Amino acid sequence: MSYGGAAALQAALFQRLATWPELSGVPLHDAVPQAGGRGTWVLIGPEDVRDASDGTGGGTEHRFTVSVISEAAGFLGAKRIAGTISDALVDAPLELARGRLVGLRFLRAAARRLGSGSARRIDMTFRARIED
């Protein structure tokens, strides 16, 4: 097992989402913007990695969150973007600079209002399996 594939996975995810045509014009970040972000934007967020080695070799399971944050009224726009992200990632044939992606699956999502309720956030959790 190695954590070495984590950076390669994040880079491939960022590239996939940044070039997905239906997400054109939606800002994509891997850290919260200094100004806190305005409008609607996507955040590649936290990750939890576990050993997934087996008798055939080393591997890791990466559970990571991709969030849609929006100041738009209602959840509809954010849910459409979240659906597009899910379509772009599930079973995506990502090429990694280190390791080999075996599978990429959607696990769950949570949608909620932020603060006083004027902003919305959808956190989607995905599972990626990487062989060393």
Side-chain angles (χ1 to χ4, degrees):
M1 179 220 157
S2 170
Y3 189 64
L9 176 62
Q10 181 172 336
L13 293 169
F14 193 95
Q15 178 67 23
R16 177 79 169 187
L17 295 176
T19 59
W20 197 255
E22 290 85 359
L23 294 172
S24 176
V26 179
L28 176 63
H29 302 279
D30 65 354
V32 174
Q34 288 186 353
R38 290 286 183 233
T40 299
W41 50 283
V42 174
L43 175 67
I44 297 175
E47 171 189 48
D48 182 41
V49 180
R50 295 186 173 122
D51 183 20
S53 301
D54 58 24
T56 64
T60 49
E61 176 186 286
H62 300 249
R63 292 186 182 205
F64 62 92
T65 302
V66 177
S67 301
V68 178
I69 297 100
S70 179
E71 293 179 326
F75 278 101
L76 185 59
K79 286 182 178 182
R80 285 183 175 148
I81 292 170
T84 298
I85 290 168
S86 183
D87 291 344
L89 295 182
V90 172
D91 292 326
L94 302 180
E95 291 293 324
L96 305 182
R98 181 170 176 178
R100 183 176 78 83
L101 182 67
V102 176
L104 180 53
R105 303 275 187 255
F106 170 81
L107 292 179
R108 67 181 171 273
R112 63 180 81 39
R113 289 185 176 91
L114 297 177
S116 63
S118 61
R120 312 288 190 261
R121 181 176 181 134
I122 300 172
D123 294 319
M124 297 174 290
T125 302
F126 295 86
R127 176 189 175 271
R129 169 75 163 81
I130 297 175
E131 290 180 340
D132 293 341

